[in-house]
Amino acid sequence: MIRRRLCASLVALFLAAAPAQAGAEEPLHFSTPITYGTHLPGLGKPVKDWAAEVGALSGGTLSFDIEQPGQNVMPQDILDAVSKGTAAAGFSKAEFWANRLPAAALFSGFPFGPDAKTYAAWFYAGNGLTLYQHMYDDGGFNVHVLPCAFGGAETAGWFAKELKSPEDIERLRIRIFGQGGLVMQKLGASPALVPGSKLNQAFQDGDIDAAELYPPPVDARTDLAGAVKRIYLPGWQQPETVMELLINKDRWNALDDQQQLWIETACRDTMFQTMSENPVLAAKALSDFADQGVTIETLPAPVLDRLHQTWDEIAAQQGKHDPFFSQVLDDIRKFRAEIATPGAVAPMAGASSLEPPMTSATE
């Protein structure tokens, strides 16, 4: 069985790596708006690398023409643009469509959800890909979806106030969105709608007490370390960020098997590459923050327990309103239980791969 699988993998790799003959055909161009600029590690740079690999595998016959955020399509309009065919493809993350597709957040990262390795296994060795495509099909969107990169684990956020107990969350003014925001709000926090570019000033003016932003390598491009001196781990609200490739389904179906394989192979390669490099980049960013006097702390167990309990309550309620949400979440939970190593001590669900750097700032 292992030998047959190995042979099949080698054949697929050979076919994917076989470039088209130079000059055999005119390049096919795909306009591809994106959500995050390609200068951002994890969230934006991977699409640039992926497009370059597709070009190389195809011998230049497939060209995904990257459009920076807002260049022609606003990030919030990418799904509709790709579905209608005004854009041939798009690179984003599914949680942006959660207001119309409640289960979307489960495919891009959610409270106490899978890490990168488990997401990859669920997509390719479980029901993940099938359920992912079903969500868009059932929602009436004319798109083909592929998970195509990992954006990295977030931290729990930047905090001007210390969290010692669940009660400290009450009346906490925090910038946080999505499912994590619902959890914090239910525990008594006050979500603050502050643009990322205004966070530094908001902290300095005392308008907010905490803020969730991005994975550490992207946070490092802000000046928050000059205004806030505490980061909490783990990023319980988003232990991993899955970036998706959307392709107009008519354009996808018009491709032959070889062309589709080039695109799929490049996505898998990019997922593996980002899975490998994101923890390294995050560790470096956290170490740099510590050197700037930022304290990297772990959330107390009672706080994490209360957050987890509250998320379970919210998820159960959402599942009652949307059966597909419940189906996807149940499938993820079942898959995680099945692949758990017998006899091993399981990490707390949602525990981030990020660990506090061993510096005096954490003592």
Side-chain angles (χ1 to χ4, degrees):
M1 176 65 72
I2 295 176
R3 182 175 297 176
R4 287 201 300 271
R5 289 181 177 176
L6 179 59
C7 290
S9 298
L10 290 174
V11 170
L13 181 61
F14 173 79
L15 291 174
Q21 294 182 357
E25 56 185 289
E26 289 294 319
L28 294 176
H29 288 271
F30 293 76
S31 58
T32 309
I34 62 178
T35 296
Y36 298 103
T38 53
H39 63 292
L40 295 175
L43 299 178
K45 182 179 178 293
V47 68
K48 184 178 179 180
D49 298 337
W50 166 82
E53 182 173 350
V54 172
L57 289 174
S58 68
T61 61
L62 294 180
S63 177
F64 283 81
D65 306 320
I66 305 302
E67 299 175 357
Q68 296 298 322
Q71 181 178 335
N72 289 309
V73 178
M74 297 302 293
Q76 66 269 22
D77 297 327
I78 288 177
L79 174 59
D80 286 329
V82 176
S83 182
K84 295 174 182 176
T86 53
F91 198 81
S92 188
K93 55 183 181 180
E95 69 174 321
F96 284 122
W97 335 126
N99 60 328
R100 291 185 286 176
L101 301 169
L106 301 178
F107 294 97
S108 62
F110 61 93
F112 302 97
D115 60 10
K117 183 173 68 174
T118 306
Y119 255 129
W122 180 61
F123 283 132
Y124 290 107
N127 299 320
L129 278 180
T130 300
L131 290 169
Y132 206 172
Q133 185 62 54
H134 176 77
M135 177 183 72
Y136 285 117
D137 291 345
D138 193 57
F141 293 98
N142 187 41
V143 300
H144 182 81
V145 64
L146 289 171
C148 206
F150 290 111
E154 294 184 356
T155 69
W158 296 75
F159 287 75
K161 289 187 175 181
E162 190 174 6
L163 292 185
K164 295 182 178 180
S165 70
E167 288 69 35
D168 290 329
I169 297 176
E170 295 180 13
R171 293 179 296 280
L172 185 77
R173 297 167 301 171
I174 180 171
R175 176 196 189 265
I176 186 170
F177 301 98
Q179 300 287 354
L182 295 178
V183 173
M184 295 295 279
Q185 190 170 12
K186 186 169 183 177
L187 288 174
S190 300
L193 301 178
V194 181
S197 60
K198 305 290 186 181
L199 279 178
N200 190 289
Q201 192 62 47
F203 273 113
Q204 292 179 348
D205 293 343
D207 293 334
I208 59 174
D209 305 312
E212 168 210 33
L213 201 55
Y214 304 111
V218 181
D219 283 3
R221 292 174 176 261
T222 72
D223 55 358
L224 279 176
V228 197
K229 295 301 182 182
R230 180 181 289 109
I231 290 175
Y232 276 115
L233 299 177
W236 61 273
Q237 76 285 1
Q238 193 149 339
E240 188 51 70
T241 304
V242 181
M243 306 303 295
E244 68 179 6
L245 172 69
L246 298 172
I247 299 180
N248 177 270
K249 190 177 284 189
D250 295 330
R251 294 293 303 271
W252 175 261
N253 290 337
L255 299 172
D256 60 34
D257 291 345
Q258 176 67 84
Q259 292 168 323
Q260 292 179 357
L261 184 58
W262 286 327
I263 295 170
E264 292 169 343
T265 298
C267 275
R268 290 196 191 203
D269 287 351
T270 305
M271 290 179 72
F272 178 79
Q273 181 65 30
T274 51
M275 186 193 308
S276 302
E277 66 186 17
N278 283 339
V280 178
L281 295 174
K284 174 63 167 58
L286 289 174
S287 179
D288 289 345
F289 289 145
D291 289 343
Q292 297 174 61
V294 177
T295 301
I296 315 295
E297 301 180 23
T298 300
L299 284 170
V303 173
L304 283 169
D305 289 343
R306 182 69 61 83
L307 290 167
H308 202 167
Q309 176 187 350
T310 305
W311 159 245
D312 286 342
E313 294 170 359
I314 289 174
Q317 191 64 29
Q318 291 189 10
K320 291 180 180 179
H321 293 293
D322 187 88
F324 185 67
F325 181 99
S326 180
Q327 179 185 350
V328 174
L329 185 57
D330 287 347
D331 192 82
I332 292 174
R333 287 172 170 170
K334 180 181 178 182
F335 183 82
R336 295 174 76 174
E338 289 175 348
I339 66 173
T341 303
V345 178
M348 185 194 73
S352 169
S353 60
L354 302 181
E355 295 293 340
M358 300 299 291
T359 71
S360 59
T362 65
E363 296 176 358

